[in-house]
Amino acid sequence: MQLKQQIENWREKLRTGTLNDADLVQGLDQLDKSDSPTQRILYLQCRSSAIDGSVIGMAEVVNGEILDPPDNPEDWPYPTISDAIRDGWRIIKFPEMALLLAEDKTYGLGCEFILEK
Amino acid sequence: MAGELYNCNPTLTDQQVLDFCYQGFLKLEAVVPDEVNRRTVEFCNQSTLSEPNLILDEDWFDQHVIKNELAAGAVRCLLGKNFQLPFIMANHRNRGPSPVQIWHRDGGSIYTRKLDYLQVFYYPENTTKEMGPTEVVPGSHFAQHKATYMQHMRGISTAVSTAAPAGTIFITAYPIWHRRGKSTAAGIRNLLKYNYWRTADPCRDWIIDPDFSFSWPKHDPNPLFEQFKRGIAAVEMFSWLSGEEFEYTGGQCWPAECGTPPMSDQAGLPASFRKYPAPTPSKQ
């Protein structure tokens, strides 16, 4: 999202003849920062299998460490899976629907989505 | 003393027993006298074992903690007369600051509507949030899951802290999901943990409120469960505790909830829980 905005800014500067080398260096720096070699994982447990259902559980893996979200669920960054997608997370695993069909036996913590960046 | 059978007066009402079935835990704040709390901490500081079982031989501990009038009275309601006292006393003695523990259900957990034993916790000191009190997930004693499959879980929106003043005892259904909270304060947190067992057949042997209406029970929604599912599990447990044969018959039968409950008993309610006369066929 930030990169897209950056390119829009460059186009505007190009049109007005103000694009310079410093702008491109800044862009390269941003690319370096976003090109982390470590995969980030986001576990989101959701009330339903729909991506707009309420998130009821959350954990993020950063540099190989599983982290707690803020203590207050109201401060969690993603109320729904859709919110995480809009922030650039990609779903790599959907809830195992077949495992949710044992009526009265399979509750767990709702429907788990795993996402990555 | 350890392992003996014990009887005492019941202290819980129908509503409180039903609430325990829904929540899977019951917290009794500051029910142990200060002097006993102080002696317990002193004992734990001298015996830093993970299982200081000898404390069970101390009369003052036996009388005011194990047989505490309110806590044992609640155990008496949930496990019936002549319940068996603990054999083992564990102390989850934690030195803070320390990270949060992973969510787990304790070893040997099984998911059942029967309630044949209870896991009980006692804080002998004020245990603030900064000291890393146990967190529990209400209703999770019915949330079937393998402990090994919950180790990546961290934040759970419905979890609650058991932070409490000294002398607090909280009683849990054994398979409830729990963990030690993150402690940010320096120092020791003692948390004693022990089990009681049922020896009597279940029957509705607590404080019965003749005016209590079982129909259309109202509880806060719990996102862990589909609509009505937690209530169904809870009343199955409550019915088992009452010695009632009960099978949920579906749809709007007991214990489905209702926004504006009618002044009548709910279809599917076991006969012994009825508040109003049973309906009779209309005369043609």
Side-chain angles (χ1 to χ4, degrees):
Chain A
M1 207 63 172
Q2 284 177 341
L3 184 59
K4 190 176 175 187
Q5 184 62 50
Q6 183 71 64
I7 293 171
E8 292 291 348
N9 292 343
W10 287 339
R11 288 183 66 208
E12 179 60 25
K13 284 189 163 190
L14 192 62
R15 268 197 296 273
T16 57
T18 56
L19 184 68
N20 59 35
D21 186 57
D23 290 324
L24 299 178
V25 170
Q26 188 186 10
L28 285 171
D29 283 349
Q30 280 182 6
L31 277 176
D32 283 343
K33 283 178 190 164
S34 65
D35 194 20
S36 166
T38 309
Q39 183 188 33
R40 289 169 65 192
I41 298 284
L42 182 64
Y43 295 104
L44 292 178
Q45 289 89 24
C46 189
R47 182 157 187 207
S48 76
S49 59
I51 60 170
D52 58 355
S54 304
V55 166
I56 57 175
M58 176 183 168
E60 186 177 351
V61 182
V62 179
N63 292 324
E65 188 182 354
I66 310 177
L67 303 178
D68 262 64
D71 286 347
N72 185 349
E74 289 181 7
D75 297 332
W76 292 2
Y78 309 121
T80 67
I81 309 296
S82 301
D83 291 311
I85 293 170
R86 277 192 282 272
D87 194 35
W89 290 93
R90 293 177 296 271
I91 296 173
I92 56 172
K93 188 169 185 297
F94 286 86
E96 294 282 6
M97 304 294 277
L99 299 179
L100 294 171
L101 300 178
E103 184 83 3
D104 296 329
K105 285 193 173 170
T106 314
Y107 289 138
L109 191 58
C111 302
E112 185 172 81
F113 292 78
I114 304 177
L115 304 93
E116 71 159 6
K117 262 191 182 178
Chain B
M1 288 295 159
E4 75 176 90
L5 303 190
Y6 184 67
N7 199 18
C8 60
N9 291 325
T11 54
L12 302 183
T13 62
D14 284 315
Q15 179 71 68
Q16 289 170 309
V17 173
L18 191 56
D19 286 346
F20 178 86
C21 296
Y22 270 80
Q23 299 290 87
F25 76 104
L26 168 69
K27 192 160 82 163
L28 302 163
E29 292 204 349
V31 293
V32 179
D34 288 344
E35 173 61 13
V36 175
N37 294 328
R38 189 191 60 73
R39 292 179 78 171
T40 302
V41 173
E42 198 175 284
F43 189 101
C44 292
N45 287 340
Q46 286 169 5
S47 174
T48 57
L49 302 170
S50 60
E51 288 183 355
N53 291 326
L54 289 177
I55 201 169
L56 292 170
D57 297 334
E58 300 287 343
D59 282 339
W60 52 269
F61 188 84
D62 183 63
Q63 186 186 343
H64 294 289
V65 179
I66 300 299
K67 296 174 183 167
N68 177 275
E69 188 180 349
L70 289 173
V75 171
R76 156 75 172 74
C77 297
L78 297 167
L79 297 183
K81 289 178 182 169
N82 299 319
F83 56 91
Q84 191 164 26
L85 301 182
F87 293 95
I88 296 172
M89 178 60 59
N91 184 10
H92 292 327
R93 190 175 160 85
N94 183 61
R95 181 178 294 280
S98 63
V100 69
Q101 194 182 26
I102 53 173
W103 288 107
H104 61 284
R105 50 181 192 146
D106 277 357
S109 288
I110 57 172
Y111 291 99
T112 171
R113 305 301 191 251
K114 298 177 183 177
L115 194 67
D116 285 323
Y117 45 93
L118 291 165
Q119 179 137 281
V120 178
F121 299 79
Y122 160 47
Y123 288 128
E125 295 157 290
N126 288 330
T127 307
T128 62
K129 191 168 187 300
E130 291 72 26
M131 294 172 70
T134 298
E135 297 170 5
V136 298
V137 182
S140 61
H141 55 309
F142 298 129
Q144 186 155 319
H145 210 70
K146 287 181 70 62
T148 45
Y149 281 29
M150 57 175 87
Q151 296 196 1
H152 64 289
M153 294 174 181
R154 290 297 185 272
I156 297 179
S157 64
T158 57
V160 296
S161 168
T162 61
T168 294
I169 291 176
F170 63 99
I171 298 169
T172 68
Y174 192 88
I176 198 164
W177 298 19
H178 62 285
R179 68 175 181 177
R180 186 191 65 236
K182 177 174 69 179
S183 66
T184 53
I188 297 290
R189 182 214 68 175
N190 289 291
L191 173 59
L192 288 94
K193 184 173 91 170
Y194 43 102
N195 284 194
Y196 296 90
W197 289 271
R198 167 185 300 283
T199 66
D201 288 337
C203 62
R204 193 177 162 196
D205 191 12
W206 48 80
I207 300 170
I208 292 176
D209 174 2
D211 292 328
F212 182 66
S213 177
F214 287 93
S215 297
W216 293 286
K218 247 184 161 27
H219 279 86
D220 292 337
N222 187 322
L224 257 61
F225 298 92
E226 281 178 56
Q227 191 180 26
F228 305 154
K229 290 287 188 181
R230 179 177 65 146
I232 295 163
V235 303
E236 284 174 353
M237 177 176 274
F238 184 87
S239 299
W240 184 86
L241 284 170
S242 303
E244 269 289 340
E245 292 284 334
F246 168 72
E247 187 175 356
Y248 176 61
T249 41
Q252 296 179 359
C253 289
W254 190 62
E257 294 171 30
C258 170
T260 48
M263 296 289 284
S264 65
D265 286 316
Q266 193 167 3
L269 187 71
S272 70
F273 298 157
R274 296 190 69 86
K275 182 177 178 183
Y276 302 97
T280 52
S282 59
K283 291 174 186 166
Q284 291 291 325

